[in-house]
Amino acid sequence: MKKKIILTVLLLVMPFMITVVHADMGPKPSTEITFKGLGDGTYYVSIFGTEHRMGPNGPLISGITSGMATGPYVDLEGFKKYYSDYPEEIIDQFVEYTNGKYCFWGNLNEVTTENNKITWSYYAPDDFIVVVITPQGKLIASEPVQRSVIAGYYKCTLEGDTLKMQSNYNWGKERLRLLARVAATIAIELVIALIFGYRDKASIATIVKANIVTQLILNLGVSLMNIVFGILGAYLIMILMEIIVFIIEGIHYSRKLPGKKGLAWLYALVANAASWYIGSQILVIMSAYV
């Protein structure tokens, strides 16, 4: 049993050597935009953020010039080669275009009347503009948008030479994502529970009930703080709530699960770390389809 636990801990710690550690699977900043008023042909779309860097993404050119870029973003030629499906002149237009503090982050999308939606599903910028290049090669930029909620939904309407941005919040999709986060958390933590030897019905019921409660606390706390104090407050409360989730589950498991209390606390730590890391990767993929 000890060998299994040590192996589990090592496997879970390794990814966090290169990743910011969070507990559980709270919502991460995302932006979805549906385009209206498009004509025939392919439109090229990008979301321009400010120089402020959030999450693993950030401004393309400043990353290249500062030496902080990685992978295909090391230099502009490498970026163009990586995105060879996009016309080089289109990439050049995005790179060369500036609008005050807003700059190209390397986000590329193709939009048509049939495929008129784009999603930035993981740490999208809070302060941004939408930049569109029409099939005729004309570049059009929207007015600045301040995303005031964790998951922002917008309708972007092309009217002549202007882009009109409107809120288009999708409550149904957010409910599905909430259910997906809860279900994924429970599934992952149950797998870890089996490794730790918690296999009886009472232990499984304890873990399931605890996760339903803590996930509701986490998501409702973030949502409430967002409504009252905006996106910055939501970020801050997310960190606090994720720590609280770990403490609540640790105390609850140490009282309810069989065996030593130290083992229950270790399980709470490993299970929450695993559910966030693995679940966040799944949800990034799911966000394009849910």
Side-chain angles (χ1 to χ4, degrees), residues 118-139:
I118 66 171
T119 301
W120 192 324
S121 58
Y122 193 69
Y123 283 112
D126 306 332
D127 182 9
F128 65 92
I129 62 174
V130 177
V131 181
V132 173
I133 298 177
T134 69
Q136 295 75 35
K138 186 170 186 177
L139 188 147

Side-chain angles (χ1 to χ4, degrees), residues 83-248:
Y83 290 98
S84 58
D85 291 343
Y86 289 82
E88 185 172 339
E89 60 272 19
I90 295 296
I91 296 177
D92 287 336
Q93 277 187 272
F94 281 133
V95 170
E96 295 167 4
Y97 178 73
T98 57
N99 189 337
K101 62 181 181 179
Y102 299 97
C103 54
F104 184 48
W105 277 32
N107 179 275
L108 294 172
N109 303 272
E110 292 182 350
V111 174
T112 64
T113 54
E114 292 78 22
N115 184 23
N116 67 336
K117 185 181 297 183
I118 66 171
T119 301
W120 192 324
S121 58
Y122 193 69
Y123 283 112
D126 306 332
D127 182 9
F128 65 92
I129 62 174
V130 177
V131 181
V132 173
I133 298 177
T134 69
Q136 295 75 35
K138 186 170 186 177
L139 188 147
I140 305 173
S142 73
E143 292 296 317
V145 178
Q146 294 282 344
R147 181 170 48 77
S148 60
V149 294
I150 286 287
Y153 296 90
Y154 303 92
K155 179 172 69 173
C156 181
T157 304
L158 179 61
E159 297 180 348
D161 293 338
T162 62
L163 293 174
K164 183 179 180 181
M165 297 290 294
Q166 295 175 295
S167 177
N168 190 35
Y169 200 81
N170 191 329
W171 291 102
K173 177 173 284 190
E174 278 309 296
R175 291 190 186 98
L176 288 175
R177 285 179 174 171
L178 172 60
L179 292 174
R181 285 193 293 269
V182 174
T185 297
I186 292 173
I188 293 167
E189 295 202 11
L190 285 177
V191 171
I192 302 298
L194 295 177
I195 298 174
F196 272 72
Y198 299 125
R199 302 175 182 177
D200 58 286
K201 292 182 178 179
S203 295
I204 292 175
T206 295
I207 292 169
V208 171
K209 291 176 182 178
N211 273 282
I212 291 175
V213 173
T214 54
Q215 281 294 297
L216 288 176
I217 292 174
L218 174 62
N219 286 279
L220 290 176
V222 171
S223 298
L224 179 61
M225 185 61 69
N226 176 65
I227 293 172
V228 177
F229 295 106
I231 195 71
L232 179 59
Y235 288 148
L236 295 176
I237 200 65
M238 184 186 297
I239 298 173
L240 176 61
M241 293 301 291
E242 288 177 337
I243 295 173
I244 291 174
V245 164
F246 162 65
I247 294 174
I248 290 174

Side-chain angles (χ1 to χ4, degrees), residues 29-89:
S30 64
T31 297
E32 178 182 289
I33 303 175
T34 301
F35 290 85
K36 302 292 184 181
L38 303 178
D40 295 332
T42 299
Y43 293 74
Y44 297 95
V45 177
S46 183
I47 297 175
F48 278 42
T50 65
E51 285 291 335
H52 173 66
R53 185 182 298 271
M54 171 56 69
N57 304 306
L60 174 68
I61 297 303
S62 65
I64 291 174
T65 56
S66 66
M68 296 177 63
T70 58
Y73 298 86
V74 170
D75 55 59
L76 186 55
E77 291 305 314
F79 178 82
K80 290 180 179 180
K81 184 177 180 180
Y82 187 80
Y83 290 98
S84 58
D85 291 343
Y86 289 82
E88 185 172 339
E89 60 272 19

Side-chain angles (χ1 to χ4, degrees), residues 1-16 21-25 184-198 207 211 242-243 245-247 249-251 253 257 261-280:
M1 176 57 66
K2 290 183 178 179
K3 291 183 178 180
K4 290 183 179 180
I5 294 174
I6 293 172
L7 178 60
T8 303
V9 173
L10 289 175
L11 289 174
L12 292 171
V13 168
M14 288 176 62
F16 295 102
V21 179
H22 292 282
D24 254 328
M25 291 163 49
T185 297
I186 292 173
I188 293 167
E189 295 202 11
L190 285 177
V191 171
I192 302 298
L194 295 177
I195 298 174
F196 272 72
Y198 299 125
I207 292 169
N211 273 282
E242 288 177 337
I243 295 173
V245 164
F246 162 65
I247 294 174
E249 291 187 359
I251 294 173
Y253 294 156
L257 295 179
K261 292 185 177 181
L263 181 63
W265 276 99
L266 180 60
Y267 165 69
L269 176 63
V270 174
N272 278 281
S275 66
W276 176 82
Y277 180 76
I278 299 172
S280 63

